[in-house]
Amino acid sequence: MSSDANVAKAGLEGVVAAQSSISDVNGIEGRLIYAGYDIHDLARHATFEEIIYLLWNLRLPTRSELNELKQQISQASQLPPEIHQLIRAIPATASPMDMLRTVVSALALYDAEAGDMSSAANLRKAVRLTARFPIIVTTFQRVRNGLEPVEPRPGLSIAGNFLYTLNGAEPDEVATRTIDVALVLHADHELNASTFAARVTAATLSDMYSAIVSAIGTLKGPLHGGANEGVIKNLLEIGSLENVEPWVLNAFANKAKIMGFGHRVYRTEDPRATHLREMSRQLGERTGETKWYDMSQRMEEVVKREKHLNANVDFYSASTYYALGIPTDLFTPIFACSRISGWTAHVLEQYASNRLIRPRAEYVGPRDLQYVPLDERA
Ligand code: COA
């Protein structure tokens, strides 16, 4: 080990790698705050648009500030024609997260401000990205099913426009508020893996689009945002309430990780899961199909009993989105449609007080080997 290097902490567990005013997770008490406000309070009362403003400005907006932000989002939500063409060219079989990563990268090519590093231009890019994420996802969903894209409608919220442009029909209030709360709950989570990736990229003074592409690629993994799709895959595979317990026991016997459980920071209930569990239950009762909620609840009981692991944000979001009829491979993209607000907030914060993020590795390989000419190697 070089004299100036520390011993590596596997997965950087417990390492504090940045100062931030955006959000804070208290894993012991199971508390999450966005810029000082408790997530329970925000989930009950705030809209996603208010959260976006809060994360970018570290205070709640006045009515006129909120209206201005909504107008900016509405004006920015239409996709450039080249992006429509690109989405049509992407294979219908592509994973929507791969599609999103590709399209967001391409958005930079059609943004005259892509390389403008002024804070005003970066804030405008944050607006455009946040406005366009849901429309990219729903446009792809329609195009891959042979349907014409639906233009976002001015006056609808981000949640409302997500459902409207997905289904091409006026969304109902319960579905809209469910998506809105889900967006509030997923918006930021301190230095999670994708946000860290975004900050590392931003800290090289690369542009915002590059930072967000890094984040999308990181969110996609099954240990992070990809877990919600894994949860519904498992539930569909299990198929019935009585199969839940044997399936879980078998998974543990095979040392498999069960998606939607466990967390690096929380040692108690993830406060976001509390709201998603309740929304999943209510939607199940409303549609008369409580099977997925019932199975989820049983799985939660067995996993807790056997391994003392808690459900995380991804666990009940799966049955919630499923109850809304959302295609399962759009679950992780919905996470991205929310987290783009937090990613951009962190990128703006990083730019405002930047230092290159460049940690060390603990070298564990050999040293002092002598070069062997190619012909002499065994
Ligand atoms: N299913 C089964 N066992 C799990 C588990 C899960 N979902 N999550 C953690 N564990 C077990 C591990 O096997 C390990 O057991 P061991 O000490 O006997 O080896 C122990 O709990 C600690 O887990 P570890 O993987 O070291 O925790 P981590 O902090 O590195 O990982 C997660 C955190 C979130 C990646 C991990 O809990 C996980 O893979 N969960 C499933 C994926 C998921 O839902 N991700 C979304 C997170 S919001």
Side-chain angles (χ1 to χ4, degrees), residues 222-224 227 252 256-264 309 312 314:
L223 297 189
H224 190 8
F252 285 151
K257 286 246 174 114
I258 302 185
M259 295 295 112
F261 290 95
H263 200 272
R264 173 59 64 78
L309 288 167
N312 58 44
D314 294 303

Side-chain angles (χ1 to χ4, degrees), residues 10-11 13 189 221-228 231 251-252 255-267 270 272 303 307-315 335 339:
E13 180 170 0
H189 211 234
L223 297 189
H224 190 8
N228 58 11
V231 172
F252 285 151
K255 305 235 170 292
K257 286 246 174 114
I258 302 185
M259 295 295 112
F261 290 95
H263 200 272
R264 173 59 64 78
V265 183
Y266 291 118
R267 291 292 162 259
D270 178 336
R272 303 165 299 174
V303 171
K307 288 261 184 185
H308 307 292
L309 288 167
N310 291 294
N312 58 44
V313 69
D314 294 303
F315 188 62
F335 192 152
R339 188 57 60 84

